[in-house]
Structure formats: structure tokens, C-alpha cells
Amino acid sequence: MVHSKIIPKSKEVVKQKLRDRKKLSKKLLKEKRARLVLKNLPFKATEANLKEYFEQYGDIANVELLKKPDGKLRGCGFVQFHLVQKAAKARHHTNGKQFMGREIKVDFAKPKDRYKKEIKKENESVEIKEEPIDVDEIKEEDADQKDKVEALKEEDSEEHSDDDSDILNEDEELEEKVPEKQKPHVISNDVAEGKTVFVKNVPFQATNDDDKEDADKALSAGTELTLMGNVLDCHPALDRNEVHRKVQDKIELKKEPKDSRNLYLVKEGVILAGTKAAESVSASDMAKRLQIEQYKTQMLRNLNMFVSKDRLVVHNLPASWDDKKVRTLFQKYGGPMAIVKEARIMRDMKNVDAQGIGKSKEYGFVAFTKHENALTALRSLNNNPNIFSSNRRPIVTFSIENKKMLNARMKRLEKSKVNNPKHKNVNPGPESKENKFNKISRKRKRDEIEEVNKREPNEGQQFSGISAKPGTKQKMRSRYKLSTQAKLHYENLKKEKKEAKEC
């Protein structure tokens, strides 16, 4: 006789069952969280029109209206969403709003046991006070209000219903809570009148009776006021609104984006295909612009690189131009009182002429003393068809610099100034008149720069491209997007030529 062996269940099977149960419980919990309870519903409401009303906020799994044993509506129901976020959105937009002539109440549904505990606590804590009733103040309620009260009473008395009725809201209790008489709120003006002093550095052992000096004496005492050996730091107390305002100012300051590399200026003057500025721009100019954008993207990956606020790089310079012509041009378009401190054309010194001047690389650098002048020159000259020619326009952008190299250059310059006492810009000490003036005018300069950054190009200058503003985050375009721009611009040029021929 062969005895069959009982094979025990493997551990993996048991673990899998546990995992399945966990998944199921999580799914059920997620569904319960996305369930809303609706109260004060009109008796004309149907599941269909409720579903239509709430569907605008997200996908609905189920809608159910609670009914009495005789089939009449109770004035409440449930809406089950698929996602908790959609349920929260629906609650936010519909709670207290009119639906078919009634102001409905919408909230997240709660489990029955939790709801009962909350009601029990509230019933124990609430004491009903008997007060005389003024008969003259009693008014007849309308039919809708009576129906509402009746529905709420019957709903609260119903203890056993299906699973949907097991989840209720704490707002459904029928006991009328008598509001207690609130004490009048007394507003103190002692802060505004200067009677309160804010004192810091008070010893931990001190009590209220240890300091009885007047507020004015405390403020005027400076470091002379001491308590138990500690020098008290006194300041005028601020009222609540003033404190709140100062806190908000600090929060706003922290929220301001920090752009130490001036990356917002990367997009200044960029020409996008299909825009007004791109009209009649030659294919070679657009290709060069896209190539420059790709170069800027690669350069700015290095965190030592930053965008200069006062130095420009200009492309498409005529081969015959010299530094003097470039300086004159940018001086003219830099705005009133503009000072050009550098104007230099880059040259190929391996290919020089009879005078020893290298062949122009057809691009150069121009630096101003102020950012606002550099920005004005860029917006006036970039893509301007009236400067060189309509097919070969100036391409002007802010220059990308290396912070390490710039700091090293500045150190060499300062060192040479110190070693040369006859130099007119030698700084005799940290508190020189020039330094004091710079400290005073620094804020004014920042305000001027911000004002210029906010300005848009002149109305006639539709050729200058995008206007960058401080605080804006500009994403660099990928190679795919750059090639797409080139194709789009080529197609637009074809259309322009075709339209010109037809005319």
C-alpha cells in the first residue's frame, strides 16, 4: 500500500498571496480616499445629472443616491472618483455652490466607526442651554428647507445601510449647537503709541518684576541698560501687521531666482523662424545664428562660464572695417552718454597684408561701461537690415566669458597698478573717495539696469528678436530643435519668394 505524501505549500506561494492581499487592500483604500459625500441635494437630482456635473473634474467610477425604504430620495449621496486628486478638485470647486437651485455640501466621506466616535465626543462636550424664545422672530421656512431638515434627520437616524451609507460626514449632526457669547475683541494700540519695547538678551532667570523701567528710558539707554549682569538689547516693538509684512518681504526675497551667471541674457536677440523678426532674413544668416546658439549651449555647460552684461560680440562685420568704424557705430547706437571702453575686430595673424594687419575674421567684441548702453546697442543693431545689407545683417549677442580667466586678468591688472605708483587709478586705501562714491551709487545703478531690462524694443524695431527679462528661465534649444528651425525658415523663405513673384 502506497501512502501519498502531503506536499506543504511553498514559501513563495504564501508570499505571493500576501503580496496580492496587500495590493488589494491598497487598491480599496485608494478608492475609499477618492469618495465624496454629497448633502442637501435637490430631490429632483438623478444619478445621471450628478455624474454629468462632477465629470468635468475627473473620471467617475460610481454615483449613488441614498433612498428611503419607500423609494424616496434622502437628499444625500456619494460620488466615487478614480483618483484622489480629482476628488479633491471636485470638492474645492463644488462645495457650497448651487446645483439645481440648492447649495450643496461636498466633503470627503469617512468610515462609519470613525464618524460615530466623533459624534459621540461632540455630544459629550456640547451642553444645550435653554433660552427664552421670541415668538415674533419665528418665520416660516420654505418647503425646500423643511425637506432638507427632514432628510438630514432621517439620514442620521439610519444606522444600518449598505457600504456606501457607512461613510458619513461630521457636518450631519442634528443637534442645534447654541453659540456661546463671545467676548469683545480688544485691540491694543500700545505698539502704535510707542509704549511697548521689544527686549532681547534677557537672562533665563529673570521674571516680569525684575525690569520696571519706562519704554522711552529703555530705548534711549543703549548699552547702559543691564539686567542681572546682561546688557539688554532694546528695540521698538512692532505690531502684528508690521511683523507679518517683514516676514513676507523676507520670503519674497528668498523666492527671487538667483542668476549669478546672467543666463537670462542668452536669449536676448534670438530670432525664431516664423516670427516677424525672421522675415526676409537670409538662409545663411539664419544658419549662422543657429550655429551660434549651439555654441552658446556647449559653452554654458561649464559652470565657470557666464554671460557678460556689458560686453557684446558682433558677427557679419564687413571685411574692410577696422576697430575705429566698429567703435563709432556702437557709440552712435548705444544711447545717450554711452561710453565704449573696447572695440576690437578679431583678425587672423597668420594671414597678414603688406602693413602687417591680419585678415578680418568678420566678428569682434564691443564693451560698454554700463549694461543699459550695451542692451540698447544690441536691440538697435541686431538683425537691423539698414546697417550692412538686408542679406547680411549684424548678429549681436552678449559675450560668454570665463570667470576664472577674468578673475586672473583682474588680479594681474590690480597688481600692475599697485606696482606702478604713478598710475592714476591707484587705490590709496579701502576708504578712498572713489570707493565711497561706488557704495552710494551701487543701488541707483542696479535700479537703472532693472528699468532698462524691463523696456521693450522700440515699436519700429520688429527685427531685433526676443527681449530677455531678469528672473525668466530660458531653456536652450537642442540640436533637433535647431535643425527644425533651419528647415522651417527655409520653407518660409520659399513662400516669401513665391509671393513676391506673384505680386
Side-chain angles (χ1 to χ4, degrees):
M1 184 176 179
V2 180
H3 296 282
S4 61
K5 293 182 179 180
I6 300 171
I7 302 170
K9 291 182 180 178
S10 68
K11 290 182 181 179
E12 286 299 319
V13 174
V14 174
K15 284 181 180 178
Q16 185 61 41
K17 283 189 176 181
L18 286 172
R19 284 196 289 267
D20 292 340
R21 284 181 188 174
K22 274 188 179 181
K23 283 181 182 178
L24 184 62
S25 62
K26 280 184 181 179
K27 186 181 176 183
L28 292 172
L29 184 62
K30 193 175 180 182
E31 286 177 358
K32 284 182 180 180
R33 285 177 181 169
R35 191 174 182 79
L36 295 178
V37 60
L38 318 176
K39 296 175 292 177
N40 198 31
L41 291 172
F43 292 100
K44 300 182 226 175
T46 62
E47 291 176 358
N49 55 31
L50 272 174
K51 186 177 181 182
E52 185 181 355
Y53 179 68
F54 281 89
E55 254 181 350
Q56 57 184 311
Y57 305 109
D59 294 335
I60 293 173
N62 183 34
V63 177
E64 184 170 0
L65 288 170
L66 297 184
K67 297 179 181 179
K68 301 177 188 177
D70 58 357
K72 291 182 181 179
L73 294 176
R74 295 184 179 277
C76 61
F78 299 90
V79 176
Q80 176 71 57
F81 282 83
H82 285 294
L83 295 174
V84 180
Q85 295 90 335
K86 302 299 181 183
K89 183 180 177 183
R91 176 192 175 220
H92 174 75
H93 288 287
T94 59
N95 185 34
K97 299 295 188 297
Q98 292 285 330
F99 174 72
M100 297 180 70
R102 274 204 181 187
E103 188 177 299
I104 61 171
K105 290 184 180 180
V106 182
D107 205 345
F108 282 104
K110 293 182 180 179
K112 184 178 178 182
D113 54 348
R114 182 180 161 192
Y115 169 72
K116 281 185 175 181
K117 284 179 183 177
E118 291 176 357
I119 292 295
K120 189 177 180 181
K121 284 182 182 178
E122 287 178 5
N123 289 339
E124 288 173 357
S125 62
V126 173
E127 293 180 4
I128 306 298
K129 297 182 180 179
E130 293 183 3
E131 292 183 0
I133 299 171
D134 190 351
V135 180
D136 296 333
E137 291 181 357
I138 297 176
K139 295 181 181 179
E140 291 184 359
E141 294 181 345
D142 55 19
D144 286 345
Q145 188 67 16
K146 287 180 180 178
D147 291 340
K148 173 186 171 184
V149 174
E150 184 183 350
L152 285 174
K153 284 180 179 178
E154 291 182 30
E155 180 188 351
D156 195 49
S157 63
E158 182 86 3
E159 291 186 1
H160 298 285
S161 183
D162 11 37
D163 293 338
D164 293 329
S165 62
D166 286 344
I167 304 172
L168 300 171
N169 197 301
E170 62 183 343
D171 293 335
E172 294 177 344
E173 64 172 310
L174 300 175
E175 289 84 6
E176 295 181 1
K177 297 181 182 179
V178 180
E180 295 181 1
K181 291 182 180 178
Q182 295 182 350
K183 294 180 181 179
H185 180 62
V186 180
I187 300 172
S188 175
N189 295 319
D190 58 338
V191 172
E193 293 170 2
K195 297 177 183 177
T196 303
V197 177
F198 177 63
V199 183
K200 296 193 289 185
N201 199 30
V202 177
F204 290 107
Q205 301 88 352
T207 62
N208 293 335
D209 298 329
D210 291 325
D211 181 16
K212 297 182 180 179
E213 295 292 332
D214 293 334
D216 292 334
K217 288 181 181 179
L219 289 172
S220 60
T223 58
E224 296 174 8
L225 188 63
T226 59
L227 176 63
M228 300 175 69
N230 283 19
V231 178
L232 300 180
D233 187 8
C234 302
H235 300 271
L238 303 175
D239 60 23
R240 187 179 297 174
N241 294 332
E242 187 69 15
V243 173
H244 181 70
R245 187 184 65 77
K246 286 199 170 189
V247 170
Q248 287 300 318
D249 289 346
K250 284 185 180 179
I251 292 170
E252 291 299 324
L253 267 172
K254 286 180 181 178
K255 282 183 181 177
E256 285 182 7
K258 295 178 182 178
D259 189 4
S260 58
R261 298 169 66 199
N262 307 320
L263 297 179
Y264 74 96
L265 290 173
V266 173
K267 289 294 183 181
E268 181 68 48
V270 169
I271 307 297
L272 297 174
T275 61
K276 189 75 177 174
E279 288 181 5
S280 303
V281 175
S282 64
S284 59
D285 270 14
M286 182 59 78
K288 190 176 285 188
R289 284 183 175 278
L290 297 174
Q291 190 178 359
I292 291 167
E293 276 200 68
Q294 187 175 349
Y295 166 78
K296 288 191 290 186
T297 306
Q298 291 171 351
M299 292 291 286
L300 289 170
R301 284 175 184 166
N302 184 347
L303 297 179
N304 290 317
M305 309 302 285
F306 71 99
V307 185
S308 174
K309 294 185 102 173
D310 50 24
R311 194 166 188 245
L312 302 171
V313 55
V314 53
H315 294 264
N316 275 356
L317 287 171
S320 59
W321 276 42
D322 57 9
D323 295 352
K324 189 176 178 181
K325 274 192 177 182
V326 175
R327 181 182 289 272
T328 305
L329 176 69
F330 278 83
Q331 186 80 48
K332 178 183 175 182
Y333 286 93
M337 306 300 290
I339 299 173
V340 178
K341 62 181 182 182
E342 178 194 9
R344 183 162 52 100
I345 294 175
M346 303 307 293
R347 298 184 178 276
D348 183 7
M349 299 312 294
K350 293 180 180 178
N351 187 4
V352 296
D353 57 11
Q355 281 116 10
I357 299 171
K359 185 181 178 182
S360 172
K361 292 183 178 180
E362 300 184 0
Y363 78 93
F365 294 91
V366 180
F368 289 85
T369 54
K370 293 183 179 179
H371 167 68
E372 52 264 37
N373 298 125
L375 188 62
T376 304
L378 186 150
R379 290 178 175 177
S380 302
L381 292 171
N382 182 46
N383 200 40
N384 192 330
N386 305 317
I387 302 299
F388 305 145
S389 68
S390 60
N391 289 329
R392 189 180 172 85
R393 305 181 184 187
I395 301 174
V396 187
T397 64
F398 281 99
S399 174
I400 295 175
E401 309 285 340
N402 190 317
K403 197 177 290 184
K404 281 188 176 179
M405 290 177 66
L406 190 66
N407 289 340
R409 193 187 310 158
M410 291 296 291
K411 282 180 182 178
R412 287 197 302 270
L413 185 63
E414 290 298 324
K415 191 175 180 180
S416 66
K417 284 179 183 179
V418 171
N419 292 335
N420 183 10
K422 293 183 180 180
H423 196 280
K424 61 181 180 179
N425 291 330
V426 171
N427 186 1
E431 290 299 321
S432 67
K433 290 182 179 179
E434 186 180 354
N435 280 347
K436 286 181 181 179
F437 174 77
N438 288 338
K439 286 177 183 178
I440 295 168
S441 61
R442 195 174 295 155
K443 187 178 183 301
R444 190 186 303 163
K445 285 181 180 178
R446 281 201 302 267
D447 294 341
E448 287 175 3
I449 289 169
E450 286 179 6
E451 184 62 32
V452 172
N453 282 328
K454 288 176 184 176
R455 292 180 202 156
E456 296 290 341
N458 297 334
E459 289 182 5
Q461 297 178 2
Q462 296 178 344
F463 51 77
S464 57
I466 292 174
S467 299
K469 291 182 182 178
T472 55
K473 291 184 179 179
Q474 300 286 359
K475 290 184 179 179
M476 302 300 290
R477 291 187 282 177
S478 62
R479 285 187 182 181
Y480 171 76
K481 287 185 178 178
L482 290 172
S483 60
T484 305
Q485 281 280 306
K487 288 176 184 177
L488 177 61
H489 185 68
Y490 180 71
E491 293 297 326
N492 290 339
L493 278 177
K494 273 186 173 181
K495 286 179 184 177
E496 286 178 21
K497 287 179 182 177
K498 190 177 180 181
E499 287 172 1
K501 283 181 181 178
E502 288 175 356
C503 292

